[in-house]
Amino acid sequence: MSLTVIVQIALVFVVFTALLLSAAAAVYAERKVAASIQQREGPNRVGPGGLLQPFADVIKLMFKESLRPAGADRFLFVAAPVISAAAAFAAFAVVPFGASTTLFGLLDEPVRLQVADVNVAVLVVFAIASMSVYGIVLAGWSSNSKYSLLGALRSASQMISYELSYGLSLASVLLLGNSLSLTEIVNAQAGTWFGIIPKWFVVLQPVGFLVYGISGIAETNRAPFDFPEAEQELVAGYHTEYSGMPFGMFFLAEYINMVTVSAVATNLFLGGWHGPLLPESLGWIWFLLKVAALMFVYIWIRWTLPRYRYDQLMQFGWKVLLPVAVLNLLVTAAGVVYFGA
Amino acid sequence: MQTEQSAPRKFVVPIGPQHPALKEPGHFEITVDGEIVTAATARLGYVHRGIEKGVESQNWAQAMYMLERICGICSHVHATAYALGVEQLAGVQAPPRAQAIRVLVAELERVHSHLLWLGVAAHEGGFDTLFMYSWRDREIVMDILEGLTGNRVNYSCNILGGVKFDVDQAQADQIRRAIDQLEPRTRHYLKIVTTEESLIGRTREVGKMTHEEALRLGAVGPTARASGVARDIRVDSPYAGYTDFPVRMVTHTAGDLEAKFIVRLEELFESYRLIREILDHLPPGDLAVKVKPRLPAGEAISRVEAPRGELFYYLRSTGSMNPDRCKVRTPSLCNWASVLVTAPGHKLADMPMLIAGIDPCFSCNDRLVTIRRRGNEEVWTWARLRQYGIEYYR
């Protein structure tokens, strides 16, 4: 077995562990940021400054009994959280997070910092993200509970409506990048205009970025679009009946999806690992910073806005976001034809 | 079991008695067609405690402390309504200074109750940050009430024939400072409620109740005033200190949830004004008159304006040491019909806010725990205890 293969396998483990840890970090950040927005203290008992709180939560979840309501579909009830979590992990596999590296000259051929370099990575992310809706719908349906069912139905219609705008905003970037590979799209954003403005697609595609961001929030069922789990109406929505680790998997999937949406946004709009000051081999630092910044915006939005109403979300999705996305795509296409890619 | 083909199947969403949206047990059955509510029913009585009957075995003075515990938020208005009824039976009148202090505490209570409601209503709309802000500000009033009376809830400020404590200069200054702190913040909340687009989307034209409906359904308090019903016991039949310190009634004509927000927040400004005025012109004199333990036979009715609306007390005496009958009608009960009637046609998502819109009475709990070690007792001052409570969570 050549060293490259070993490094590739190691990379899989690194990405998997990093995703788990990033979910833990996101939970901690969420609680601390929320607390400071609301003038509270946040977690501060477990570990210094409450840093170990997410781990305490995970241990607690693992030791909790996992209940299954009477009348629930045995197989699907267990399968649903697995689908959700698996889809969340799988989507990240094709996301590159750094330039090729030889690990300080250790390897003969450079390795890409990416689990799988698929030449249609954008489509893969998109396809797998749509898979996660199955986990939610099946969870809602198999629970044999009204709150779960309503939550799942809301979630399904919400995700389907927003996937259109999501896809259209991606399409406009694909036109600019002239490729379906995330690595090539990132590399198309290297360099600067006039030496100051980075050649990030967010500069050319501000509308696309906004559409992507908003539908990304809806895709991941985050506040202010968190109707599937609107506690005031539907208790906990599709995962009302879940407890213990099955619930933990939904929870994990939600945060990993946030990380994935932020990572893809970084690659598509914010120039991926390209940035000033640092050499390209350390580009992953830029990547992490950009993802962290997007995650912060996610959390910030959640704790600043009241929840929209379900019908308001659907109206906004179909009557505002979709036309804007279509228009943006047409203008981009015209621009690409006129100026050349 | 019948299975008729013709009868359409109803999808009923149960809310309560245990539900995250409810802070107190109640049961609602909401029939929905998709997301649209087609019918709503309420079942109450989960926290029936038999207080009215219990009062009959207490003497006149003891009964007040039991009645005060009907509501954890507006405890003072219950005691005031009862004390006014007893004084009516006994044929005495509390001295002016006592009447003014009763109003002072009543208005402080209104401030804390309305701020609490603002938070709960925002929370029901998924706006938890506003909830945290308004509850933080509510602590300011709670501190004053605790400083004045020794309790955060159930202040026991009234006694039959007067009040049991005076307000000194230091306390008056503290209250003035607190009001100065609260006023700009309340103005800020009013601005959020009337200008923040995402919140307006959830409140404007939602739960609209017309003037006629409000009259027909017998709505009371801010719920009725938001529909343009000019009904406020403090204005209509002034009691206690409200004869000397009149209030301006706040009404709104829209009748929707936004109007309920505006009416309650504007009432806060009126309360601030009134509190300042009372502190500036506190009449001198005694704090209480004597009331004999046996009251002459007779009946009395007293009405006061609780933060949630008209609170009604009926008392009957047979000339003995204890009440023969005590009937209480709380404002929340009068307002339930308005929720159930306005609900159909709204979205399921509006229901928690509609229910919260009438400010149904939620009990709150005392947070004080004392741990006493044998032989190692020490007395803590109020300030130290409060500081301990804050530091504990750091």
Side-chain angles (χ1 to χ4, degrees), chain A residues 20-36 40-58 222 251 255 258 295-296 299 302-303:
Chain A
L20 279 177
L21 285 176
S22 71
V27 172
Y28 177 74
E30 168 113 60
R31 294 179 65 171
K32 272 296 190 194
V33 171
S36 59
R40 295 186 284 118
E41 291 291 331
N44 61 356
R45 282 291 182 271
V46 193
L51 260 175
L52 297 177
Q53 185 67 46
F55 301 100
D57 288 346
V58 170
R222 285 277 299 182
F251 196 63
Y255 279 92
M258 277 167 69
M295 293 290 283
F296 174 75
I299 296 169
R302 171 170 178 185
W303 297 104

Side-chain angles (χ1 to χ4, degrees), chain A residues 39 41 45 147 232 303 312, chain B residues 14 123 129 136 201 392 394:
Chain A
Q39 313 205 338
E41 291 291 331
R45 282 291 182 271
Y147 301 127
Q232 284 80 8
W303 297 104
Q312 293 168 339
Chain B
H123 168 73
T129 301
R136 174 202 62 188
Y392 180 83
R394 289 224 189 273

